[in-house]
Amino acid sequence: METCVFAVFEFISGLVESRQLRDLLPPILPTLTLHLISHMQPTHSQVERWLGDVAQFVDEEEQIFSYSVRLSAHDLLEAMWEEPSLRNHTHSAITAAVEKHLQTTRSNSSPNAWKIEEACMLALGCVIMTPNTSFSAQQFTESVVMSTLQSPSGNPLLLGRSLWLAGKMAGRLKPGTLDQLLQSLVTALLPTQHSVLRVLAAKATCNFCSELQATNCTSRLLPILPSLISLLAAMTADLPDIVLLVVIDTLQLVTRVDESVTARHALQLSEVALSLFLKHSHDPGLSSSLEDLFSVLANNPGCHADFHRSFLPSAVQLLESNETGISLGLLPAVLDVLVLLVRGCGLGNVPNEVVREIFPRVVRVGVASDDVAMLQNAGECVRAFVSMAMEDLVQWCDREGESGVLYVVRLAVHLLDPSRPESSAAFIGRLLIVFFKKVGGMLGDHLQLLLRSVLSKMQSVKTASVMQSLLLVYAYLLQTELEAVVSFLCQVPDPRGQPALNYVLKEWTSQHPFFFGSFETRLSTVALCQLLSHCVTTGNNLLCSVVVEEEEDNGCGLGVQTRAQKTAAGVTRKTAIPLPVKIVRLLVSDLQSHLEASAESEGSECSAEEEGNEEVREMESLLTSEDGESEEFDKDPELHGDPLLQMDLQAHLVKYLGDICQLPSFSSSIRPHLRPYELVTLHSAGIHTN
C-alpha cells in the first residue's frame, strides 16, 4: 500500500515540476490537499515508537535516516507551496482543508482525533500564510492552539506541535496572546515534561526567536529569556546525539537574542559548551553546532571573562598533551575554538595570558605535527593571532629570547616544507599576506626565507587550490615591493636552474583563469595590472623578456571553445608570447566575464519585472553576488573593509585597459597579438584600440 501511495505522490510531484502540466493541478488542489493532510497523520506504530524513544522522533522529524508516507505527503505539500504559480491556490486549499478537517474532529469523540489536528498544524507550518489570505493567525491561535495547550490531558505530540506552529505565527499575534504562549513554552521545557514535548518546545523556541526577530519584537522574549537559557542548558545532559543537536542549535539561537542576558549566564553556558565539546568533538555535526555556541560567547564582551576562565585551562592541557591519549580530531577542534576566542577579543584586545600561554603552544603543536587538519588549523589559529594581536607578538619573547615574529615564520616554513602534505599549505597565502601587512619591513632576512620556502613548495604541489594560495603570496608582494621581489626571483634558480622569475610568472599566468574566491581573484587581477603597468612604463628587460606558452588559436577567432571544437579546429600547438601580451589577454578575459555577468544580471532583472517570477529574482541575486562574497566576509573578518573588495572591478578594468590601449607601446607590441574576439570585447566596453 505504501509503495502505491509513494508512486502517486511521485507522479503528482512530477506534475508540479512540469511547466506544461502543472496547470492541471489547481482544479484538484482542494481535494488533493485534503487527502495529503489525512496522510500526514502519524500512525499508531509511529506514535508508540516516538513516545518510547525521542531519538526516533527526531530522526523522522528531521528526515535524517527515515522516510515515511507522512513525510512524503509533507514534502509534496511544501513543493506545491514553493512553486510560485501554485502558491495562492495552495494557500486557499490548505486553509479550506484544515477548516474541514477540524470541523470533523470537533464532532468526533474518537481518542485518535488529535492526530488529524496535529497533521493540520504540521500542514499549516509547511507554508507561510500571508496577510492577504483568508487565514487569520490570531483567530486560529485563539480557537485551536490555545484550547489545545489548555487541555490537561493533551498528547505530547499535539501539545508540542501546537507550540511549534504558534512560533511560526508569532510575528502576527497580539501581545497578550503571545505572552501566554511564551509562558506555555517555558512550561513545556521543564524537566518534568515528556521528552518529545520538550524537543518540540525547543524547536518551537527557534521559531519564536526567528519570527520575533524578523518583526523586531524580540523584546517580548526578554521576560522569559533567562528561563529559556537555563532550561535549554540543563536539557543538554545525557541526550542522544541526534536530539542534542536540536537543543544546541536552539541554545545558540536563544543566546543571540540579548547580549546582557546571555552574559549573566556566561559561566553556565561556558561550562556546558566545554563539557559537550570534550565529549562530542569527534562528531562533525555536533562539533560544528558547538562552535556556533562558542562563537556567541567569544563575540559577547560580557562573556569573555567566564568563557576564557572556563576554556583556556583545558586548551592549555590539551595542547600540552601533544595528541597523546585524546580522541581523534579533538586538537584540531580546540584550535578552531581558539580562533573564535582570539578573534572575539577584537583588534588589540587579546589578553596577555592568551598570547603568553596559548600562542607559543599552538605554534609548537603545529610544528610537531604532520596531520593535515592539525597543520591547517594551527595556521589559521596563528593567522588569528597575527590579525588581532601582532603588536603583542612583536613584543613577546620566550625564555630563549625568540619573538612572536620568529614563531610565525617557523610555523609558516613548516607548513611550506615540501615533505609535508601539500594540503598543509592550503591557506598559507592568507596567513602570509596578513603577516606581511602587519610587520612590513620588520622581517629582514626572514622575508627571503619565506619566499624561498614558497618557491620550494610550489615545485612539489599538484593541487590547483594550493598552488593558488602560494601564488597569491607573490601577487601581493609584487603590488607592494615589486622591484625587490623581481630581483629576488632573478637570483633564485627554478627546478631547471633558470631564474625563478620565469617559472613563477608562467605558473601565475597559467593559473590565473582558474582562481576562485572574490578576494583571491581580485588580488590576482589587480596585481597583474600593476605588473603590466611596470612593464610598459619602465620597459623592464627582466619582465618584458619573459615569454609564456599558450595554445595557438586556429579556431578562426571563436574565443572560448570546447575540447571537441578545439580538436576539430586543430588547436594542438602552443605558441610563445611575451608576458605583457599574456597579461593583457588575461585582463580582457576577466573583463569579458564581468560584462557577461552584468548583461545576465540586467536580463534577469527585466525578466523578473516582466514576469514577476520569484525564481528569476533568486537567480539574479546569485548572479550579482561575487563568489559568495558575503560568506567570505563571515569567514574572514580581515576582509571587512579591504579596498580590493570595495572596488568596482569592472569599472577598474575598463579604465585601466582604456589607459593601456592609448600607450604607444600597445599599438606596436601588444595589439598585433590580440585575437579578433579580444578586440571585440574591448570595443564593447567602449575601449578604442586604434
Side-chain angles (χ1 to χ4, degrees):
M1 182 64 182
E2 282 193 357
T3 303
C4 181
V5 173
F6 282 134
V8 172
F9 287 171
E10 187 174 352
F11 171 74
I12 298 171
S13 179
L15 296 179
V16 174
E17 295 173 1
S18 171
R19 290 185 178 182
Q20 292 78 20
L21 300 176
R22 67 169 67 110
D23 289 341
L24 299 173
L25 289 172
I28 66 169
L29 273 182
T31 304
L32 175 61
T33 304
L34 199 67
H35 290 303
L36 285 176
I37 293 176
S38 295
H39 280 89
M40 288 167 65
Q41 296 178 82
T43 65
H44 178 72
S45 61
Q46 282 178 319
V47 173
E48 282 192 340
R49 187 166 64 250
W50 294 345
L51 294 180
D53 183 0
V54 68
Q56 289 279 340
F57 170 71
V58 174
D59 174 32
E60 296 196 33
E61 181 81 359
E62 301 291 327
Q63 303 184 32
I64 298 175
F65 300 112
S66 303
Y67 203 62
S68 62
V69 170
R70 169 185 167 93
L71 293 176
S72 181
H74 171 277
D75 290 348
L76 179 54
L77 196 62
E78 202 169 51
M80 292 191 302
W81 177 80
E82 289 176 349
E83 169 52 46
S85 63
L86 297 176
R87 183 162 297 173
N88 291 334
H89 299 289
T90 306
H91 271 159
S92 302
I94 290 177
T95 303
V98 167
E99 184 177 352
K100 188 170 183 178
H101 275 304
L102 291 179
Q103 285 176 352
T104 303
T105 59
R106 291 190 186 104
S107 59
N108 187 349
S109 58
S110 169
N112 292 321
W114 67 269
K115 293 181 180 179
I116 194 66
E117 289 188 41
E118 193 272 347
C120 287
M121 294 182 186
L122 181 60
L124 287 172
C126 291
V127 302
I128 301 173
M129 289 296 182
T130 53
N132 59 352
T133 65
S134 59
F135 179 81
S136 169
Q138 178 66 34
Q139 182 179 346
F140 186 86
T141 302
E142 290 177 349
S143 61
V144 180
V145 174
M146 295 301 294
S147 61
T148 299
L149 292 173
Q150 292 166 2
S151 173
S153 58
N155 185 283
L157 284 165
L158 179 59
L159 295 175
R161 187 64 65 194
S162 299
L163 286 171
W164 174 83
L165 177 61
K168 284 180 169 285
M169 302 186 297
R172 287 162 285 162
L173 301 178
K174 294 179 180 179
T177 305
L178 181 59
D179 290 342
Q180 292 181 56
L181 290 169
L182 292 176
Q183 289 301 323
S184 298
L185 182 66
V186 172
T187 302
L189 287 169
L190 292 173
T192 54
Q193 301 289 357
H194 195 284
S195 55
V196 168
L197 175 56
R198 296 177 76 196
V199 167
L200 276 170
K203 294 169 71 69
T205 303
C206 289
N207 294 342
F208 276 104
C209 290
S210 299
E211 279 294 307
L212 294 177
Q213 185 176 20
T215 54
N216 296 317
C217 294
T218 51
S219 59
R220 310 298 305 181
L221 289 168
L222 294 181
I224 67 162
L225 201 55
S227 298
L228 289 180
I229 293 175
S230 296
L231 289 170
L232 288 167
M235 193 174 166
T236 58
D238 300 323
L239 284 176
D241 289 1
I242 195 173
V243 183
L244 187 58
L245 187 59
V246 173
V247 179
I248 295 172
D249 286 343
T250 305
L251 188 58
Q252 64 93 8
L253 189 61
V254 168
T255 52
R256 295 178 191 272
V257 172
D258 186 271
E259 286 192 348
S260 60
V261 175
T262 301
R264 293 199 293 272
H265 294 78
L267 183 58
Q268 179 189 17
L269 291 168
S270 299
E271 291 176 348
V272 166
L274 177 61
S275 174
L276 294 173
F277 175 75
L278 295 175
K279 185 178 179 181
H280 298 284
S281 61
H282 62 282
D283 185 311
L286 282 172
S287 182
S288 176
S289 292
L290 285 167
E291 285 183 22
D292 290 338
L293 181 55
F294 280 127
S295 177
V296 174
L297 300 173
N299 289 295
N300 186 338
C303 296
H304 285 177
D306 289 324
F307 177 39
H308 293 183
R309 193 180 304 117
S310 173
F311 188 78
L312 290 178
S314 296
V316 169
Q317 183 179 358
L318 290 168
L319 291 172
E320 288 287 352
S321 68
N322 198 24
E323 303 185 73
T324 303
I326 62 175
S327 63
L328 182 66
L330 181 54
L331 269 183
V334 169
L335 294 173
D336 279 338
V337 177
L338 287 173
V339 170
L340 298 173
L341 186 150
V342 172
R343 292 195 183 282
C345 293
L347 182 62
N349 295 320
V350 180
N352 289 332
E353 67 167 324
V354 177
V355 174
R356 185 177 64 252
E357 299 295 331
I358 299 297
F359 171 73
R361 288 182 169 87
V362 169
V363 174
R364 290 179 194 130
V365 164
V367 171
S369 178
D370 288 327
D371 178 71
V372 172
M374 278 292 299
L375 292 169
Q376 289 183 348
N377 290 10
E380 289 296 278
C381 191
V382 167
R383 181 158 72 96
F385 274 103
V386 170
S387 179
M388 297 290 122
M390 193 64 238
E391 290 185 7
D392 297 318
L393 297 184
V394 171
Q395 296 174 5
W396 174 84
C397 289
D398 63 12
R399 294 178 180 177
E400 285 73 36
E402 294 184 343
S403 71
V405 173
L406 185 57
Y407 268 67
V408 177
V409 171
R410 182 179 300 154
L411 177 66
V413 170
H414 182 73
L415 297 176
L416 292 166
D417 187 338
S419 65
R420 304 274 87 79
E422 66 177 61
S423 296
S424 63
F427 309 114
I428 193 67
R430 289 196 177 182
L431 169 59
L432 290 181
I433 287 171
V434 71
F435 187 43
F436 295 153
K437 284 181 179 179
K438 295 288 184 177
V439 298
M442 296 172 54
L443 281 173
D445 293 339
H446 297 314
L447 177 59
Q448 287 205 9
L449 173 62
L450 290 170
L451 293 181
R452 287 177 183 273
S453 299
V454 171
L455 185 61
S456 179
K457 188 73 172 180
M458 285 175 60
Q459 297 167 21
S460 64
V461 163
K462 296 180 180 179
T463 306
S465 60
V466 180
M467 180 63 81
Q468 169 182 310
S469 184
L470 297 169
L471 288 168
L472 286 176
V473 177
Y474 287 108
Y476 173 77
L477 287 175
L478 282 169
Q479 285 186 279
T480 56
E481 301 181 43
L482 191 148
E483 293 186 1
V485 173
V486 169
S487 176
F488 165 79
L489 290 174
C490 288
Q491 298 171 18
V492 179
D494 69 4
R496 296 177 296 179
Q498 301 298 317
L501 179 66
N502 290 36
Y503 170 73
V504 170
L505 293 177
K506 288 177 182 178
E507 287 290 338
W508 182 10
T509 53
S510 66
Q511 294 288 335
H512 173 79
F514 309 106
F515 276 17
F516 57 90
S518 183
F519 175 78
E520 286 81 357
T521 54
R522 286 167 174 263
L523 174 60
S524 181
T525 297
V526 172
L528 285 175
C529 289
Q530 294 196 354
L531 186 61
L532 178 61
S533 294
H534 185 79
C535 289
V536 298
T537 57
T538 66
N540 187 308
N541 290 330
L542 294 173
L543 293 172
C544 294
S545 62
V546 174
V547 293
V548 295
E549 289 185 341
E550 67 173 25
E551 289 183 343
E552 186 176 339
D553 185 10
N554 293 332
C556 303
L558 295 175
V560 179
Q561 303 167 58
T562 64
R563 287 184 208 169
Q565 287 173 325
K566 289 180 178 180
T567 302
V571 182
T572 56
R573 294 184 300 169
K574 291 188 176 182
T575 182
I577 59 173
L579 175 65
V581 175
K582 178 64 175 178
I583 294 176
V584 170
R585 284 182 174 175
L586 291 173
L587 296 178
V588 171
S589 177
D590 286 349
L591 177 59
Q592 181 181 12
S593 298
H594 281 279
L595 293 173
E596 290 174 353
S598 296
E600 289 175 3
S601 176
E602 292 174 3
S604 299
E605 186 175 350
C606 292
S607 299
E609 290 175 356
E610 292 173 5
E611 301 174 17
N613 193 325
E614 296 189 18
E615 288 181 331
V616 175
R617 290 194 180 95
E618 291 174 7
M619 182 61 68
E620 176 193 348
S621 67
L622 292 174
L623 289 169
T624 54
S625 63
E626 287 200 29
D627 302 315
E629 190 172 303
S630 60
E631 183 180 349
E632 221 176 342
F633 283 161
D634 293 337
K635 293 183 178 180
D636 277 289
E638 292 113 359
L639 298 183
H640 286 284
D642 190 291
L644 280 177
L645 292 172
Q646 309 304 316
M647 175 191 298
D648 183 339
L649 193 56
Q650 178 177 322
H652 175 79
L653 285 171
V654 170
K655 183 179 186 308
Y656 177 79
L657 288 171
D659 293 341
I660 288 293
C661 289
Q662 303 310 310
L663 297 176
S665 57
F666 174 81
S667 299
S668 61
S669 58
I670 296 178
R671 191 185 188 285
H673 294 277
L674 295 183
R675 297 156 179 162
Y677 64 84
E678 291 168 339
L679 294 173
V680 169
T681 298
L682 290 171
H683 293 160
S684 66
I687 299 172
H688 301 289
T689 59
N690 295 327

